[in-house]
Amino acid sequence: MTRVWKWNRPVTVREVLEDLQQERSIAYTTVMTVLDNLHQKGWVRREAEGRAYRYEAVSTRAAYSAALMNEAWTQSDNPAAALVAFFGMMSPEQREALRDAVRMVQGPEETPAPQNPTAENATAENPAAENTAVEMPAAENPAVENPVGENPAAAGGETGR
């Protein structure tokens, strides 16, 4: 999938093979089998082009990652604790990316301005702080992709790994 996502366009077995062969020796039939398996699982769609197929990802890499995170989070017996632990593992850059994502989902009218800059820094250092609870109404926001809906394998509990 990494190679298919890399090009972000329909690719042939030959293109994937040539790309992989830059790093290691691999057979054409191996690449063909893997792409066929990905097609059967619903991860790629294919379209005939002459005697070959062109394969295209059904979902973006970001949507796939989101589906994995959602699946892991919903499997937890304590989702809030799982989020706090996850936030605690994040680097400062990742936490800032999370804040940016929340602002994008909520929109500017819903994002409260920090009243105390040191409180925001404390939150970054302590993800368990009270004001880190984040509600993201993705279902209400049509601009946000539904990663599970886009990826039949992720919805069925498979991770594709």
Side-chain angles (χ1 to χ4, degrees), residues 5-126:
W5 282 321
K6 175 180 157 183
W7 282 302
N8 197 27
R9 64 170 174 79
V11 296
T12 64
V13 171
R14 176 76 51 205
E15 288 173 316
V16 175
L17 173 72
E18 289 172 359
D19 192 40
L20 287 169
Q21 285 180 334
Q22 293 177 14
E23 298 171 13
R24 62 181 178 193
S25 177
I26 189 166
Y28 181 93
T29 54
T30 301
V31 177
M32 185 174 61
T33 299
V34 169
L35 284 169
D36 185 59
N37 288 342
L38 289 169
H39 176 257
Q40 289 178 21
K41 289 182 177 186
W43 288 85
V44 296
R45 61 181 146 257
R46 67 183 182 194
E47 194 169 310
E49 183 176 282
R51 292 177 33 196
Y53 287 108
R54 284 205 171 266
Y55 294 87
E56 183 176 20
V58 170
S59 175
T60 65
R61 186 177 207 141
Y64 168 75
S65 297
L68 286 178
M69 289 187 287
N70 185 58
E71 180 182 343
W73 182 53
T74 58
Q75 297 287 327
S76 173
D77 60 348
N78 188 341
L83 282 175
V84 169
F86 179 63
F87 296 156
M89 294 178 204
M90 293 176 138
S91 68
E93 294 81 17
Q94 290 170 320
R95 286 193 294 268
E96 187 58 36
L98 175 64
R99 284 187 201 93
D100 291 344
V102 169
R103 281 190 288 272
M104 287 174 21
V105 170
Q106 289 180 335
E109 68 282 350
E110 295 182 42
T111 306
Q115 295 174 353
N116 180 350
T118 57
E120 185 177 59
N121 291 338
T123 300
E125 295 304 317
N126 180 8

